[in-house]
Amino acid sequence: IAIPLKDGIITDDNIFQGCKNFKQVHLIEGTVLSDTIAALLLEKWTNDMKDKLGVINQILPTTPAGKIYYREDVGGKAQTVQLWISS
């Protein structure tokens, strides 16, 4: 998914319930993001952003998606992304 980096953007824990293919987060299209980061010439910030994107994209593939037919099993993808954004 492509999302803005804004705390509180994901408000429901079941928003990604049953989304087994949700495995990566892109803030904006890959090349645009890379060009924007490179243009800023802030090496520390660039490295931090790449590291943070790497972390969430490693965690999401193994995070349970929950069962779409069971309301109680919302999985953990929404909570994982919420925590990641707030960090």
Side-chain angles (χ1 to χ4, degrees):
I1 65 168
I3 59 172
L5 188 59
K6 179 181 177 191
D7 199 13
I9 193 101
I10 298 171
T11 57
D12 293 325
D13 290 344
N14 65 348
I15 194 100
F16 302 118
Q17 186 175 7
C19 298
K20 294 178 186 174
N21 290 330
F22 174 28
K23 297 178 182 176
Q24 290 189 339
V25 170
H26 300 280
L27 299 180
I28 51 178
E29 290 299 317
T31 55
V32 174
L33 177 61
S34 297
D35 292 347
T36 302
I37 290 172
L40 292 174
L41 300 173
L42 299 173
E43 187 175 344
K44 183 181 178 341
W45 184 83
T46 301
N47 292 337
D48 288 348
M49 285 305 298
K50 286 180 181 177
D51 289 345
K52 288 180 182 192
L53 282 169
V55 167
I56 191 67
N57 290 335
Q58 287 178 0
I59 293 170
L60 281 175
T62 58
T63 303
K67 305 244 187 300
I68 198 159
Y69 301 109
Y70 301 105
R71 284 188 175 189
E72 303 83 39
D73 185 5
V74 296
K77 292 192 185 272
Q79 293 103 339
T80 300
V81 173
Q82 289 168 332
L83 264 167
W84 175 76
I85 289 174
S86 67
S87 70

